[in-house]
Amino acid sequence: MGITDVVLSPGSRCAPLTISFARHPRITVRTVPDERAAAFIGLGLAQTQRRAVALVCTSGTAGLNYAPAVAEAYFQQIPLVVFTADRPPEWIDQLDGQTIRQTDLYGAHAKGTFTFPADTSHADAKWHSARIVSEAINLAQQFPAGPVQVNVPLREPFYPKAGEELRFEAVRVIQETPSRPTLPGPDLVALRHALRQTPRVLVVAGQHHPDEALLLALRQFTAAYQIPVVGDIISNLHQPVGATYDLRTAPLGKQDVFMAVPERGLKEALRPDLLITFGQSLISKALKLYLRDSQPVQHWHVQAAGPVADTFKSLTRIIRLEPITFFEQLVATDYSPFGGLVSAEDTAAAKEAGHTTAPAATKAAAPGSTPSVTTPRLTWPTSGWALSEQDAAAKAAYATPWSKAESWAKGFLHDFLAQPDQPFNEFAAFHHALRHLEDGTALHLANSMAVRYANILGLPENRRVEVFANRGTSGIDGCNSTAVGAALAQPARPVVLMTGDVAFFYDRNAFWQNYPTPNLRVILFNNHAGGIFRLIDGPRQQPELEEFFETHQPLTAENTCRDFGLRYFTASTFAELKLALSAFFAPVSGAALLEITTDSATNAAFFEEYRKAVRTSFS
C-alpha cells in the first residue's frame, strides 16, 4: 500500500519535493508551517488510516523539529516516511547556511535511514532512487511499523522554469506481502495444557487499536478457559461486539480504582501465576507496579516481531504471533474421536503420540458415577471448549475476585460522583463530558491528567468510542496536532480531544493551517496551572510546588478560537457545563472548543478526597 497523504512545511531547499508532491494527481498534500505541529498532524493521519504518511521539510533544523513526533511514532508503531531536504554532501560542515548533519537524524528513534543520490540524471541513479522509496515505505509499514527517514540532497535550481511541464514517469513499485505465522501443533498442545492446568491465569492488554475480530477471539478465549482479561482505556478492548456474548466475558477496566485499595488479601487473591500480555504501554501505574511486585511464575508476551520489553520484570516466553492469531488458535475446536469437544490440533497431536483416550481435561464422567456439582461458567455461543469440573472450579476461584473488584469499583465511582454539594472540579467535569460522547467518536486524550482521568472513569458502556493517546513517549507536545490530523483523515467522523491547559497552549500551532476540521471538538480543562503536580506524590509535598512545578498562566482559549475560527463555549459551574455540553455536541458544522475552568487547589482537594474514599470504602 503506497502513500496518498503528504504533510509538508514550506521551504526553499525542499521546493523540488514540494512541487512534485503538489502536482501529483493521486496525492493529497497539506501544508503546515510549524514543523513540530506538521509532524504530529501527519502522525494523526497515519494513526487513523493505519498506513504510511509522508512528511516533507527543508534542510537544517527544520527536520529536528520533527523529532518529538518521530519518537512518538517509533514507540507507538505508526508508519511515517520523513523526507528531509539536504545540501549536497560536499557542502556539509562547510559553514553553508541552513546546513546540519542530517544523515541518520533521528538515530535510534527511526527504523532506518536512506539517502538519495545527489545526482539523479543517470538511469541507474533513477532506478536506485525509486528502489529507495519502495524500501522506505515497506520498512515503515513492516511490523512493527514506525518512522523511516529519507534524506534527499538537492542542488540548485530548485524551481521549474515558467511554463515547464512536470512529467511523472512510470515507476516500478516493490510491494511486500507480510507473512502470518501460526503455532506448530506440539507448541499449541503445550500452551493449551498449561492454560488448563494453571488456575491463576491473567491476560493484560496494552495500548492497541480497535479490532473486532480480536475482541471476538478474546471473549471466546475468556469463555473457553475462564480467564479474566484486563485492559486500560487505550487498549480499546471495551468496544461492544454484539448482543450474543455473555456479559461476564467483557474485559475489566477499573484496575486504576481497585488496585489503589490497600488490602493485602485482595492483592494476594488477584496475583497471577501465569501472565499473558500483548499490545504496547499501560497507563495504570498501580497495575504496572502490582504486576512487577507479584512476580508471576510465567509471563508470556505475544508479539509478531520486533524488540520485546520486559515491563513487569517477569518475562519467560515470547510468542511470535499476531495476538488475534494466538487467541484464535487457542480456541479453535473440532469434534474429537475420543469424545467431547477438543481442538483439531490436540486431536492430531494425540493421534501422532498414539493416544487412544481423550485428554484429561475433556474426559467424560464414568458411567454410573455421581456427577460433580457444575461450576457456573462464562459462556459464548459455539465456543466449544470444556474444562474439567476441577479445573473450572479452580479458575472460577481466581476469576471471581477480579470480577468482584471490578463490580465494586464501578459502584464506588457511581456513588462517589453522585454525592451532592460537590465543588466544581475537573474530575467530576471530566466524568460528565465522557457521558456525552456519541457512538462512533474518535476520542483523543492528551497527556498528563486527561488520559489518567479517562482511565479511572472509563467510557459509557455499549458505546463505540475509539481511543487514541500519544503514549509512546507520553509527551504533551503534539496532542492538539494529532487530533487535527485525525479529523482531517476522517472528516465524516466526530473527533473529540480532551486536554489540559498546558498541553493545549503548548501546541496551539496545530490550528495554524488552512484545512477545515468541522468534525473536531476540543474540551479544554483549564486550571491555569500544571495541575498534575498537585495530584502526584513528590512535587505536591515540596515548598517549590507553585513556582517551579506548576505552570501558572492567565490564558484563556477565547483568542485562540477567534484567531483560528473555532466556535467557543465556556463553563465554570455544573449548571453551565450541562448547558454547554448539549450545545457543544449539537450536530452543527464547524470546529468547536469548550473551555471548562476550574481551580487547581480545589481539583487537588477533591481528587485527594476520592483517593481517601478508595482506600477506606472497599469491602
Side-chain angles (χ1 to χ4, degrees), residues 40 43 47 72-73 75-78 207-209 232-236 280-281 283 442-448 450-452 454-455 466-475 478-479 482-483 496-498:
F40 276 105
L43 183 143
Q47 185 185 59
E72 178 64 32
F75 287 110
Q76 209 183 135
Q77 299 176 4
I78 296 173
Q207 184 168 22
H208 202 278
H209 62 81
D232 280 338
I233 193 171
I234 58 173
S235 70
N236 280 297
Q280 298 163 38
S281 63
I283 301 169
L443 174 62
H444 284 250
L445 297 167
N447 300 309
S448 300
V451 71
R452 289 175 170 86
N455 200 50
E466 185 174 0
V467 180
F468 299 89
N470 286 347
R471 297 302 292 179
T473 60
S474 302
C479 301
T482 306
V496 176
L497 167 65
M498 300 179 75

Side-chain angles (χ1 to χ4, degrees), residues 504 511 517-524 557-570 580-595:
F504 176 81
F511 308 105
T517 53
N519 55 325
L520 178 64
R521 300 290 184 272
V522 179
I523 304 178
L524 165 60
E558 187 171 9
N559 287 335
T560 301
C561 291
R562 185 182 300 113
D563 288 343
F564 298 117
L566 281 69
R567 295 180 296 121
Y568 180 63
F569 300 83
T570 62
L581 284 169
S582 297
F584 176 73
F585 281 113
V588 177
S589 183
L593 182 145
L594 168 59
E595 185 165 25

Side-chain angles (χ1 to χ4, degrees), residues 58-311:
T58 193
S59 63
T61 57
L64 289 173
N65 285 296
Y66 283 166
V70 168
E72 178 64 32
Y74 181 81
F75 287 110
Q76 209 183 135
Q77 299 176 4
I78 296 173
L80 294 176
V81 180
V82 183
F83 290 91
T84 51
D86 199 2
R87 291 289 196 278
E90 66 270 18
W91 284 105
I92 308 302
D93 290 330
Q94 301 305 310
L95 302 181
D96 204 19
Q98 211 168 317
T99 305
I100 64 171
R101 299 171 185 178
Q102 290 185 202
T103 301
D104 199 23
L105 190 60
Y106 308 109
H109 293 124
K111 290 185 69 180
T113 297
F114 298 86
T115 301
F116 256 55
D119 296 293
T120 56
S121 56
H122 193 278
D124 285 356
K126 289 183 179 180
W127 160 73
H128 185 205
S129 300
R131 201 184 76 218
I132 283 173
V133 173
S134 282
E135 289 175 4
I137 295 172
N138 286 338
L139 180 60
Q141 298 188 138
Q142 185 184 94
F143 187 90
V148 173
Q149 182 195 5
V150 180
N151 199 49
V152 186
L154 292 164
R155 302 186 191 280
E156 296 191 56
F158 302 141
Y159 302 93
K161 297 176 182 177
E164 183 178 347
E165 184 181 354
L166 202 63
R167 291 180 298 168
F168 293 96
E169 300 176 1
V171 176
R172 181 169 54 87
V173 175
I174 304 170
Q175 295 182 330
E176 184 172 333
T177 301
S179 63
R180 187 173 174 180
T182 58
L183 279 170
D187 289 352
L188 191 58
V189 170
L191 293 179
R192 284 175 169 154
H193 180 75
L195 288 170
R196 291 193 195 107
Q197 299 302 312
T198 307
R200 302 166 72 93
V201 184
L202 177 68
V203 175
V204 174
Q207 184 168 22
H208 202 278
H209 62 81
D211 184 333
E212 187 163 349
L214 173 60
L215 295 182
L216 289 168
L218 255 179
R219 297 205 175 181
Q220 288 174 315
F221 175 85
T222 299
Y225 294 100
Q226 312 289 286
I227 290 172
V229 177
V230 179
D232 280 338
I233 193 171
I234 58 173
S235 70
N236 280 297
L237 296 188
H238 309 101
Q239 313 290 333
V241 289
T244 58
Y245 61 83
D246 186 329
L247 290 173
R248 294 173 298 164
T249 65
L252 312 177
K254 291 292 183 288
Q255 61 276 4
D256 253 349
V257 182
F258 61 77
M259 281 293 173
V261 172
E263 180 72 42
R264 288 188 179 181
L266 174 65
K267 297 294 176 64
E268 176 55 31
L270 301 181
R271 182 184 56 79
D273 289 329
L274 168 56
L275 174 66
I276 302 172
T277 59
F278 69 94
Q280 298 163 38
S281 63
L282 287 179
I283 301 169
S284 178
K285 186 176 181 180
L287 178 60
K288 199 182 305 184
L289 294 177
Y290 171 72
L291 291 173
R292 287 174 186 170
D293 185 60
S294 64
Q295 287 293 291
V297 178
Q298 295 185 73
H299 173 191
W300 305 347
H301 183 73
V302 184
Q303 181 177 306
V308 173
D310 189 10
T311 306

